[in-house]
Amino acid sequence: MSKVSPSFSLSHRGRLAPSPTGLLHVGHARTFWIAAQRATANQGTLILRNEDLDPQRSRAEFARAMIEDLRWLGIRWSEGSDCGGPYGAYSQSERRAYYLEAWRRLRDGGFLYPCICSRKDLAQSASAPNDTDDELVYPGTCRARKDVAEFMEPAGVNWRFHVRDGEVVEFADLNLGRQCYVAGSDFGDFLVWRRDDVPAYQLAVVVDDVAMRITEVVRGADLLKSTARQLLLMRALGVTAPDYFHCELVRDAAGVRLSKRHDALSIRHLRESGMTAEKVLEMAGWP
Ligand code: GLU
């Protein structure tokens, strides 16, 4: 019997997915540099995606700053015809129609339910978020609601993905090895659409990684549990997941992981204080 070989080769497609909610810091420099190096090593394509979904927290000046800082670090991405928007980047704020379509498919497939719990209800009943994950484990209060079919649009309530309690989600991380999380305890029924009519991070990222044919996601280890959630979403949508490479987190002198509140360790600040890009990457633990 003759061997059937695919008529195309699956080439590497990576992405940089910063959120313009503050200045990029040394931890981002590390993650994005690794993503760029891996794309180059695999003769792949690197895509920039501006994750500006949250209208309350995203600011155009931070989007401009992140583009400048990435360029200053020497990171280059595809500006070819497959990248729309300014700076050769996709912007999530322009991609609502894709997220809405996915919401409909998930709702019709019975994977979602509307949730009317307030932040206060959640704070009182759910377990506290830990160091590396900031979504509370939802106690399931609205799981039994029977009114899903009444919603033609997602707005007005929160929408949650119903996880199977006790299900083990396992994946082989290209950097950190085997990862294993338990649905219902490591994370609960997570948000896919917010009541203020903003698609949630988990849904938008999955839809975009699939639509942009991403083959490898490089991101910080703070998103490991998000990856587990995203694998469940991809299974529900019937799509193939990319590979994952989670980078160790960069911490400050006190051992606290860097966040956008660490202004002194922002790439912008270090650059303005006269530091070279090489030095910033060295601080970020590279190579
Ligand atoms: N936009 C997210 C962030 O800046 C990262 C998204 C991802 O890598 O999936 O934290």
Side-chain angles (χ1 to χ4, degrees), residues 15 17-19 28 51 201 205 217-219 223 230 260:
R15 52 32 159 221
S19 302
H28 296 110
E51 301 216 321
Y201 158 72
V205 156
V217 169
V218 177
R219 54 165 58 135
L223 291 172
Q230 290 167 26
K260 285 177 176 154

Side-chain angles (χ1 to χ4, degrees), residues 69-233:
D69 292 348
L70 288 170
R71 287 208 174 119
W72 177 77
L73 281 171
I75 293 172
R76 301 284 176 262
W77 53 93
S78 159
E79 291 178 312
S81 55
D82 62 342
C83 275
Y87 334 108
Y90 291 98
S91 284
Q92 288 192 323
S93 58
E94 292 161 11
R95 299 176 52 78
R96 182 182 162 90
Y98 295 94
Y99 311 136
L100 205 47
E101 191 204 327
W103 172 81
R104 289 211 171 93
R105 278 172 57 195
L106 291 167
R107 179 204 57 186
D108 294 350
F111 295 102
L112 306 182
Y113 62 89
C115 169
I116 53 165
C117 294
S118 65
R119 266 176 218 273
K120 201 165 145 226
D121 297 335
L122 295 182
Q124 279 165 359
S125 56
S127 58
N130 61 30
D131 179 38
T132 57
D133 198 61
D134 51 14
E135 188 168 332
L136 300 165
V137 175
Y138 179 66
T141 322
C142 290
R143 268 186 175 180
R145 286 173 65 114
K146 299 272 181 280
D147 53 350
V148 182
E150 288 167 28
F151 290 84
M152 292 301 114
E153 300 294 329
V157 290
N158 286 313
W159 286 86
R160 294 183 180 277
F161 184 90
H162 190 152
V163 303
R164 297 179 196 157
D165 289 337
E167 182 181 4
V168 176
V169 183
E170 208 181 322
F171 61 98
D173 186 71
L174 294 176
N175 186 36
L176 303 177
R178 182 172 167 267
Q179 301 294 313
C180 209
Y181 296 96
V182 180
S185 52
D186 284 325
F187 59 89
D189 291 351
F190 55 90
L191 280 178
V192 295
W193 208 281
R194 295 177 1 191
R195 83 172 76 209
D196 57 357
D197 204 18
V198 176
Y201 158 72
Q202 310 291 356
L203 181 70
V205 156
V206 160
V207 168
D208 285 346
D209 285 340
V210 172
M212 295 169 194
R213 306 189 318 281
I214 300 301
T215 60
E216 182 182 288
V217 169
V218 177
R219 54 165 58 135
D222 53 327
L223 291 172
L224 277 164
K225 284 189 199 173
S226 284
T227 297
R229 296 174 174 104
Q230 290 167 26
L231 289 171
L232 295 182
L233 271 179

